[in-house]
Amino acid sequence: GQNIDQPTEMTATEGAIVQINCTYQTSGFNGLFWYQQHAGEAPTFLSYNVLDGLEEKGRFSSFLSRSKGYSYLLLKELQMKDSASYLCAVRLHSGNTPLVFGKGTRLSVIA
Amino acid sequence: DAGVIQSPRHEVTEMGQEVTLRCKPISGHNSLFWYRQTMMRGLELLIYFNNNVPIDDSGMPEDRFSAKMPNASFSTLKIQPSEPRDSAVYFCASSWDRGWYNEQFFGPGTRLTVL
């Protein structure tokens, strides 16, 4: 089976930096995605990594190490609106193929 | 541009009834995915289509579930008969092959409650 692990919950303070880790053991690998999902809403795409290293997009960065089966999402200058679930997902095969999702990390940003 | 459209947004039904969920993908997208989300199991793939053809339905729980995509702009997911354990949020997502990351766009979901 496919295994994608992330912490269930995290809490961080407004203005701070938080790192959400994801480890994966899957039968294939063709990229790792991070999605954000606010309560009661649809997941929305945040970032994609297929090569090792760091991808930066404004306040959000995502890192990948394929040899370690490890990724993290880094959120800087946290805002209250960043309170949401963050889903790590792996695409096993190339092309327009499905994603295998972790169960998500629920982040609470407090004042 | 309209995103992925799903209907109904909420459905409450009684055990044994037939339920039909509907999805309209983003125009021009050639892949469509049905996922189900529960607290216990997270987001799981049920079935996906490429160019209206079902490719992988191994995630469909059992024969009570069926999905169709009669044309590029419409898909249905049917549960018959429904059971309480089918209660979940059902998401439809679509994407197109841009050759790089083929991001999936999710619809707002249908929250299904089976009593």
Side-chain angles (χ1 to χ4, degrees):
Chain A
Q2 319 298 340
N3 215 29
I4 300 177
D5 289 318
Q6 17 178 165
T8 304
E9 290 187 66
M10 298 182 72
T11 302
T13 306
E14 193 176 16
I17 299 173
V18 71
Q19 178 175 311
I20 302 174
N21 295 324
C22 171
T23 58
Y24 63 90
Q25 289 177 304
T26 55
S27 58
F29 182 84
N30 194 261
L32 187 140
F33 294 75
W34 285 94
Y35 277 78
Q36 180 189 58
Q37 185 177 25
H38 284 100
E41 297 183 10
T44 55
F45 170 78
L46 282 179
S47 69
Y48 171 75
N49 296 71
V50 68
L51 301 176
D52 291 352
L54 189 69
E55 293 284 340
E56 297 188 80
K57 211 190 252 189
R59 294 189 300 114
F60 292 61
S61 303
S62 57
F63 172 83
L64 175 67
S65 168
R66 288 171 297 170
S67 62
K68 295 181 179 176
Y70 168 68
S71 173
Y72 67 73
L73 180 69
L74 194 71
L75 292 76
K76 304 175 188 174
E77 302 169 13
L78 278 173
Q79 302 174 10
M80 301 299 284
K81 68 178 182 179
D82 297 329
S83 294
S85 287
Y86 292 85
L87 309 175
C88 173
V90 171
R91 184 166 60 210
L92 304 182
H93 308 292
S94 61
N96 262 356
T97 55
L99 304 179
V100 179
F101 284 86
K103 291 186 179 178
T105 299
R106 188 161 59 248
L107 174 67
S108 298
V109 180
I110 58 175
Chain B
D1 282 344
V4 176
I5 298 171
Q6 290 187 247
S7 64
R9 295 291 308 276
H10 302 273
E11 177 83 27
V12 180
T13 191
E14 293 189 346
M15 183 173 64
Q17 296 298 306
E18 176 181 305
V19 175
T20 299
L21 312 181
R22 297 173 176 81
C23 175
K24 177 178 170 54
I26 294 172
S27 177
H29 283 194
N30 63 335
S31 292
L32 184 140
F33 307 83
W34 282 100
Y35 292 93
R36 178 170 69 174
Q37 187 174 40
T38 61
M39 290 292 293
M40 288 293 293
R41 300 176 67 87
L43 202 58
E44 297 178 300
L45 178 77
L46 296 174
I47 185 171
Y48 82 102
F49 298 82
N50 272 350
N51 298 315
N52 313 339
V53 176
I55 304 299
D56 182 359
D57 66 353
S58 59
M60 297 284 261
E62 48 201 85
D63 291 346
R64 298 184 298 106
F65 284 67
S66 62
K68 294 181 180 178
M69 192 164 186
N71 57 61
S73 58
F74 184 64
S75 177
T76 59
L77 177 69
K78 185 180 290 187
I79 308 172
Q80 180 186 26
S82 58
E83 297 182 1
R85 59 186 166 141
D86 302 331
S87 297
V89 181
Y90 291 79
F91 287 103
C92 174
S94 69
S95 67
W96 58 290
D97 191 343
R98 293 191 287 184
W100 184 229
Y101 50 84
N102 303 340
E103 145 196 15
Q104 292 182 15
F105 294 83
F106 282 76
T110 295
R111 182 173 296 276
L112 174 65
T113 303
V114 183
L115 303 174

